[in-house]
Amino acid sequence: PFRTMPGIYELLCGKINVSRLRNVDIADLLRRQPARTNEALLGASLKGKRVLVTGAGGSIGSELCRQIARWQPEELVLLGHGENSIFEALIELRENYPSLTLTPVIADIRHAERLARIFADYRPQVIFHTAAHKHVPLMEASANIEEAITNNVLGTQRLVQAALDADVERLVMISTDKAVKPSNVYGATKRLAEMLVLTAASQNTRAFTVVRFGNVLGSRGSIIPRFKRQIALGGPVTVTHPDMERFFMTIPEAVHLVLQASAMGQGGETFVLNMGE
């Protein structure tokens, strides 16, 4: 076990004594100040709106729902494929926001008719699209390539079409820095999904935008929990390559970026957080 010390200036000023050691927090790995958002802009874009989040049970999707709930939307629809993760997200939100109208929907975004019915029933005005298969090595396996394409590409295409048909005001798709000159199946499927969203924005003059993430610290399936498991087992800690570069952001930063993009986006933009070194 190890702990992190307070800063030397805090010690010298007498604010903190040496006994105030604490566990290392995942945000300590950022080596920069966390990014913040324009809260007034967010309130105007979400308050009183009917909001739908795909992949709402995932680490990004569920945090997105927590943040959206703070802005008092008219209704928040949690759409996901995994019933257990949607159930857990729903229970937490109901405890913290008892007066908020929350609607859990178990559905696969590849099913166009099901999406059409959901959109007709709940008439969302703002959509956050986080649903995707994202594990690079798993999606690289020949047995899973079809699944990656149908979920990430076809699913996005059907969601975008449903949004156009239902006259949705805003759509933000979560993408990845791996979509830049993609060298793997996952990156390629996300690049295609980006193109579908941006094309729909330009052809239909809609406020549909894309947000690209780096590595999100502590998200499900990300590298840091894997490193922690490897260390707990006594090693070795495996890296892709000694020269591999990763750009990190925290889950709250990632979600703030998405919300900011939804408020700022006029349509057709790709937003990227400045993640430092």
Side-chain angles (χ1 to χ4, degrees):
F2 78 96
R3 303 284 185 267
T4 185
M5 287 277 287
I8 190 74
Y9 297 108
E10 293 174 293
L11 291 170
L12 290 173
C13 293
K15 292 181 186 173
I16 299 171
N17 62 37
V18 180
S19 64
R20 286 286 303 276
L21 301 179
R22 61 173 175 78
N23 287 331
V24 177
D25 184 74
I26 211 157
D28 294 331
L29 302 172
L30 268 188
R31 307 284 180 94
R32 60 175 170 78
Q33 285 298 309
R36 299 302 305 165
T37 46
N38 182 331
E39 304 239 322
L41 203 60
L42 295 190
S45 67
L46 293 171
K47 189 175 174 122
K49 299 284 187 182
R50 295 182 301 278
V51 182
L52 182 145
V53 178
T54 73
S59 42
I60 300 297
S62 57
E63 177 65 19
L64 199 48
C65 290
R66 287 183 204 107
Q67 297 291 340
I68 292 166
R70 291 175 49 223
W71 298 105
Q72 301 169 312
E74 180 184 321
E75 181 176 12
L76 178 55
V77 179
L78 287 71
L79 189 151
H81 201 208
E83 58 175 344
N84 290 327
S85 54
I86 292 291
F87 177 72
E88 286 166 13
L90 184 67
I91 292 297
E92 182 189 331
L93 287 167
R94 278 183 175 157
E95 285 172 357
N96 294 323
Y97 302 95
S99 61
L100 177 62
T101 303
L102 295 162
T103 305
V105 176
I106 306 302
D108 189 322
I109 58 170
R110 288 173 283 201
H111 298 155
E113 290 178 9
R114 174 88 171 110
L115 279 180
R117 284 200 302 276
I118 292 164
F119 278 55
D121 288 345
Y122 303 111
R123 298 173 294 113
Q125 296 163 286
V126 182
I127 295 175
F128 294 95
H129 176 34
T130 82
H133 289 319
K134 65 172 190 173
H135 288 277
V136 174
L138 286 182
M139 295 306 107
E140 210 65 17
S142 57
N144 298 327
I145 291 172
E146 182 181 338
E147 185 71 15
I149 293 167
T150 56
N151 193 59
N152 295 0
V153 182
L154 184 66
T156 299
Q157 189 268 326
R158 292 196 163 155
L159 184 77
V160 166
Q161 190 56 55
L164 290 171
D165 292 344
D167 211 24
V168 168
E169 294 170 17
R170 293 183 173 273
L171 183 147
V172 182
M173 178 201 143
I174 311 309
S175 190
T176 169
D177 54 7
K178 294 177 181 69
V180 182
K181 297 181 182 175
S183 58
N184 52 54
V185 170
Y186 167 64
T189 61
K190 293 301 277 186
R191 179 67 188 124
L192 285 166
E194 285 184 356
M195 292 161 76
L196 287 164
V197 171
L198 299 176
T199 300
S202 63
Q203 289 183 350
N204 301 277
T205 324
R206 296 291 175 90
F208 292 3
T209 55
V210 167
V211 177
R212 282 181 180 162
F213 286 179
N215 285 78
V216 181
L217 286 168
S219 63
R220 235 168 32 193
S222 69
I223 198 68
I224 297 298
R226 186 175 173 200
F227 283 165
K228 285 172 74 176
R229 269 201 314 276
Q230 290 177 335
I231 292 164
L233 293 169
V237 175
T238 58
V239 295
T240 311
H241 188 277
D243 297 333
M244 176 81 170
E245 289 186 354
R246 290 179 184 272
F247 290 90
F248 285 114
M249 59 205 298
T250 64
I251 293 175
E253 270 190 324
V255 167
H256 288 152
L257 172 64
V258 174
L259 294 175
Q260 187 86 348
S262 76
M264 290 167 55
Q266 300 300 305
E269 302 96 336
T270 300
F271 292 95
V272 185
L273 181 69
N274 181 352
M275 289 173 280
E277 293 295 316

